[in-house]
Amino acid sequence: MAKKKTEPRAEPTFGATDAPTRASLLHSMLLQRRFEERCAEAYALGKIGGFCHLYIGQEACGTGAISVLREDDYVITTYRDHGQALARGIPARAIMAELFGRSDGCARGKGGSMHLFDRNTNFLGGHGIVGGHVPIATGVGFAIKYRGTDQVILCFMGESVVNTGAFHEALNMASLWKLPVVFIIENNRYGMGTALERASSIHDIYQRGAAYDMPRAQVDGQDVLSVRASVAEAVHRARTESLPTLLEVRTYRFMGHSMSDAVSGTYRSKQELEEYMKRDPINVLRAHMEGQGEIDDAGMTKLDEEVKAIVQDAWDFADASPEPALESLWEDVLVETTT
Amino acid sequence: MSIITYRDALNHALREEMQRDDRVFLMGEEVAVYQGAYKVSKGLLQEFGEMRVVDTPITELGFAGVGVGAAMAGLRPVIEFMTWNFALLAIDQVVNAAAKMLYMSGGQYPMPMVFRGPNGAALQLSAQHSQAWESWLAHIPGLKVIAPGTPYDAKGLLKAAIRDDNPVVVLEGEMLYNTKGEVPDDDYTIPIGKAEVKREGDHCSIITHGKSVLIALQVADALAKEGIRVEVVDLRTVRPMDVDAITASVRKTNRAVVLEEGWEICGIGAQVVDYIQRHCFDDLDAPVLRVHQEDVPMPYAKNLERAAKPDVAKTVAAIKQVMYLPTA
Ligand SMILES: Cc1ncc(C[n+]2csc(CCOP(=O)(O)OP(=O)(O)O)c2C)c(N)n1
Ligand SMILES: [Mg+2]
């Protein structure tokens, strides 16, 4: 996919990778994939309940983006949050335990699939109201500027979000006040069953950034290295100049919207799905690494076994973790005040 | 002690808390350069600068969310709504974000923030600008909701709200801003969740909050002339509600009228009556009555608006009814 830019890239070296970095990107994406395949299994077994939205097919977006962050940066996202949570380094055990509704979950069983939170990694949550978390990201950007630190926040969202008022309000303020926020639209072409073209008046949605005079770009979301490079540039701009960026990362979801939606559904054809699946982000990186002589079939098998073991361990851990104590029902509604 | 307006009491609370803690900032429409739509933030921009007194675009949903994000990242935002009518555009952030964040994060993200602004009817602002929202907001676990009726309470409660690590909704009143009262010059806070008996009496209790406290005190004065001793219980906080104070008063007077600005159905009064029937069933000498806005949108015409609002006459009549006295 052609990369469109409103301005030439100042330094082409943003987000450059070496072999170990590529290996860790591959590891992360494969872990997410295997993790979520087991999520689907656990859902079918009734171990995971409620709404559960898988990230399969989109792993390069979160992985590439989060790979450029520092530990003290922030991430905020939507309900489709398992992959980004893993990429950010929340332990697979804590995520699986959360999905199973157990006390060792990263939100102590109070949040579930849509609301993964982790203070240790500044993971500010999966949020369930479409568009609702985007102003919150602007607020984190405001706090960073207020304190005068040089952190940044990545705000992930689906492409449907660009049609909400919250998106407009949040991007306007982020640009008006010059806040270090990188808004990343994961354009997987559908919001549930509604194709982008049936919902948005413009289809190159990164151009919405023009309304806010915001640096913007469209990125190939199946290529983790492209995502990493674009986000690295945006993060650099945020960190050094305190400026926001709007990135449209073009991707595709290989599964249904949630567990209740058939894989291809009534709104897209099997043929379309198969066409997109040819550019599986894991295979795109693998092919690149094979070309560099960095991995071969045996290496891939070994890696697969490694991540599967991590996922199995997470499953076993979650299964063994106790249900939250009933008293916890009443905990964390309010905190003890510090007046 | 000084005698100051409710507006200045809020202003002093903001100033003192901003001096005390540099994580506290004020954000909203017209709070800075214009000095506040109701001048509550007068002088704050000059003292604290534009990073801490922040004018926003007209973007309630957006800046309420900015407050939530800033609180998540460790600041202590005070978000001003020009009035609570406009906060409806931001209710997603108040209800779905601020009130839930601590719980759904399993205790990881407290929300030390304040949402404040005038609530309820002023004069002839008609339907869209004359609404009392406390029952909507008090419905939500995860929020605290305060409604001070006097300058003293306004200052002490707003300071407590700013120091609270939970999201606190502060319901002020356009008609209250010019009212005056005694306010200590030194630092003080009033605990959230504590009612105050504003007038002692043993014949009948009026349980009320916010601007209606002023009506209740007038009612008490009027009835005192007839030898009726009314007790005025000012809830001050509607969530969490001071059930002990309600119970203690009703056990003493055996009769109660609940007075509020808002509408009847599912109103604050309905909750107060529920507490009374649960805790004071055997103490009651009459059914509890409620006085509230008539069940219509607020009309514009002076006579209609007067007829729609709760007032002294309606409250007096309700008290006489629960005391089985002849009404005029
Ligand atoms: C305000 C709001 N309206 C509707 C929904 C129901 N809903 C959940 S996800 C979704 C589609 C969102 O699509 P998109 O933003 O493209 O993200 P994707 O699911 O593709 O990752 C809808 C309509 C919601 N959660 N919030
Ligand atoms: Mg989508």
Side-chain angles (χ1 to χ4, degrees):
Chain A
M1 193 174 298
K3 186 176 290 180
K4 297 184 200 161
K5 286 277 176 184
T6 51
E7 50 196 68
R9 205 187 277 177
E11 287 175 56
T13 53
F14 283 116
T17 52
D18 53 13
T21 308
R22 288 188 285 276
S24 89
L25 293 172
L26 187 64
H27 181 279
S28 178
M29 289 201 291
L30 198 61
L31 173 63
Q32 293 167 49
R33 178 68 56 89
R34 297 297 178 235
F35 185 93
E36 285 205 309
E37 286 165 356
R38 297 300 302 279
C39 288
E41 185 188 332
Y43 198 88
L45 291 171
K47 289 182 182 292
I48 300 177
F51 288 144
C52 179
H53 310 81
L54 302 183
Y55 198 52
I56 292 177
Q58 303 183 206
E59 293 94 339
C61 307
T63 311
I66 290 169
S67 73
V68 306
L69 292 186
R70 283 193 329 221
E71 260 181 30
D72 62 341
D73 291 329
Y74 297 90
V75 175
I76 192 165
T77 186
T78 70
Y79 46 84
R80 199 178 296 287
D81 55 358
H82 312 164
Q84 292 146 355
L86 284 165
R88 185 56 176 159
I90 306 181
R93 284 178 161 196
I95 298 171
M96 196 64 95
E98 188 60 34
L99 301 182
F100 281 24
R102 302 302 171 88
S103 60
D104 295 301
C106 59
R108 299 174 61 208
K110 294 278 188 63
S113 164
M114 296 191 284
H115 307 300
L116 302 175
F117 284 83
D118 179 42
R119 215 182 165 99
N120 295 329
T121 56
N122 282 347
F123 197 84
L124 303 181
H127 294 261
I129 308 297
V130 169
H133 69 297
V134 188
I136 299 176
T138 297
V140 174
F142 178 84
I144 293 168
K145 184 158 186 168
Y146 188 99
R147 285 195 301 251
T149 51
D150 72 342
Q151 295 143 295
V152 303
I153 174 159
L154 299 189
C155 175
F156 293 95
M157 70 196 86
E159 83 292 339
S160 298
V161 169
V162 305
N163 304 315
T164 68
F167 172 85
H168 162 67
E169 297 190 14
L171 268 73
N172 181 53
M173 281 185 284
S175 185
L176 178 70
W177 295 335
K178 299 193 169 28
L179 303 179
V181 188
V182 181
F183 298 99
I184 302 177
I185 302 166
E186 294 190 47
N187 179 3
N188 62 9
R189 309 223 23 224
Y190 296 92
M192 295 184 67
T194 303
L196 167 71
E197 294 76 14
R198 294 174 57 225
S200 175
S201 56
I202 63 170
H203 303 158
D204 280 323
I205 48 179
Y206 74 102
Q207 291 292 17
R208 295 228 183 201
Y212 316 105
D213 194 23
M214 195 180 286
R216 54 201 175 272
Q218 197 172 60
V219 187
D220 175 2
Q222 301 312 91
D223 176 6
V224 70
L225 301 180
S226 294
V227 176
R228 183 178 148 95
S230 299
V231 176
E233 182 187 354
V235 163
H236 178 77
R237 184 182 297 121
R239 212 184 292 294
T240 58
E241 299 175 72
S242 190
L243 286 175
T245 298
L246 178 64
L247 295 176
E248 175 191 350
V249 181
R250 291 216 153 182
T251 183
Y252 200 81
R253 84 174 135 65
F254 293 174
M255 309 294 284
H257 167 71
S258 65
M259 300 311 295
S260 59
D261 178 30
V263 172
S264 65
T266 52
Y267 53 88
R268 60 181 188 182
S269 66
K270 201 156 169 274
Q271 191 190 359
E272 176 187 301
L273 176 66
E274 281 165 4
E275 200 51 41
Y276 274 98
M277 285 178 82
K278 287 182 190 156
R279 290 197 74 233
D280 183 317
I282 294 173
N283 291 341
V284 171
L285 178 60
R286 175 185 174 171
H288 176 85
M289 289 171 67
E290 278 170 354
Q292 309 275 107
E294 291 164 15
I295 196 150
D296 55 16
D297 285 351
M300 201 65 198
T301 308
K302 189 166 157 275
L303 183 63
D304 205 28
E305 277 161 12
E306 219 176 288
V307 298
K308 279 180 171 162
I310 296 171
V311 176
Q312 185 60 51
D313 170 72
W315 177 298
D316 294 340
F317 175 83
D319 232 6
S321 172
E323 288 184 321
L326 273 183
E327 306 88 80
S328 76
L329 174 66
W330 297 100
E331 289 167 7
D332 301 324
V333 178
L334 296 169
V335 284
E336 288 302 315
T337 177
T338 56
T339 300
Chain B
M1 285 281 183
S2 309
I3 301 214
I4 62 170
T5 61
Y6 187 103
R7 167 186 291 110
D8 286 342
L10 293 169
N11 177 274
H12 296 177
L14 287 166
R15 170 173 287 117
E16 289 171 20
E17 293 309 301
M18 289 177 74
Q19 286 167 345
R20 181 176 179 268
D21 186 343
D22 62 13
R23 296 169 300 175
V24 179
F25 69 94
L26 176 67
M27 174 175 278
E29 291 158 15
E30 309 293 358
V31 297
V33 174
Y34 193 83
Q35 306 277 290
Y38 297 97
K39 309 300 171 205
V40 169
S41 54
K42 195 168 173 196
L44 299 182
L45 171 67
Q46 287 66 23
E47 180 169 349
F48 298 104
E50 58 184 16
M51 203 66 215
R52 298 187 64 196
V53 185
V54 189
D55 278 332
T56 65
I58 302 172
T59 198
E60 279 78 8
L61 173 62
F63 69 71
V66 167
V68 170
M72 286 188 95
L75 302 186
R76 304 183 73 89
V78 178
I79 299 298
E80 175 173 314
F81 293 121
M82 196 179 280
T83 82
W84 275 93
N85 301 289
F86 315 137
L88 291 204
L89 284 108
I91 211 72
D92 175 51
Q93 290 297 337
V94 178
V95 172
N96 274 320
K100 310 281 192 293
M101 205 68 78
L102 180 73
Y103 199 80
M104 68 183 182
S105 69
Q108 295 177 89
Y109 287 100
M111 287 284 113
M113 67 185 303
V114 169
F115 296 104
R116 51 158 288 270
N119 172 61
L123 286 175
Q124 284 200 281
L125 297 180
S126 70
Q128 292 180 331
H129 286 72
S130 312
Q131 305 176 88
W133 294 115
E134 47 268 50
S135 70
W136 280 38
L137 295 155
H139 195 58
I140 310 299
L143 296 180
K144 295 184 179 182
V145 182
I146 63 177
T150 65
Y152 173 80
D153 290 341
K155 183 172 176 188
L157 280 168
L158 178 55
K159 284 165 71 83
I162 293 171
R163 292 183 200 182
D164 202 294
D165 284 341
N166 298 289
V168 183
V169 165
V170 185
L171 303 171
E172 304 162 6
E174 192 181 330
M175 303 296 289
L176 285 170
Y177 287 139
N178 279 335
T179 61
K180 290 189 173 167
E182 281 201 337
V183 174
D185 299 315
D186 47 337
D187 185 37
Y188 73 100
T189 59
I190 294 174
I192 291 173
K194 286 273 170 265
E196 185 182 61
V197 175
K198 286 275 195 296
R199 181 73 55 87
E200 296 220 20
D202 54 1
H203 288 157
C204 180
S205 304
I206 301 182
I207 295 146
T208 189
H209 64 273
K211 191 167 61 192
S212 304
V213 171
L214 304 190
I215 295 177
L217 291 171
Q218 287 174 49
V219 168
D221 287 341
L223 287 175
K225 292 185 189 126
E226 299 180 32
I228 300 170
R229 295 187 297 271
V230 169
E231 176 144 301
V232 176
V233 179
D234 176 3
L235 293 172
R236 301 196 291 193
T237 299
V238 293
R239 183 190 186 95
M241 206 178 275
D242 190 345
V243 183
D244 291 345
I246 298 170
T247 311
S249 182
V250 175
R251 289 206 174 131
K252 179 163 92 172
T253 62
N254 311 112
R255 298 166 204 272
V257 166
V258 192
L259 166 65
E260 68 185 305
E261 275 194 273
W263 290 294
E264 175 183 15
I265 310 298
C266 305
I268 296 296
Q271 185 60 42
V272 174
V273 170
D274 174 55
Y275 286 135
I276 293 174
Q277 66 84 18
R278 269 193 273 166
H279 299 290
C280 308
F281 188 77
D282 292 328
D283 301 290
L284 286 176
D285 287 343
V288 181
L289 290 186
R290 294 177 57 198
V291 182
H292 42 75
Q293 185 185 326
E294 300 302 326
D295 198 19
V296 295
M298 190 66 84
Y300 167 72
K302 264 191 188 140
N303 66 325
L304 295 181
E305 183 184 47
R306 219 178 288 127
K309 287 176 170 175
D311 61 10
V312 172
K314 288 177 187 178
T315 314
V316 165
I319 288 178
K320 290 195 169 171
Q321 205 178 325
V322 301
M323 295 186 68
Y324 301 112
L325 294 171
T327 47

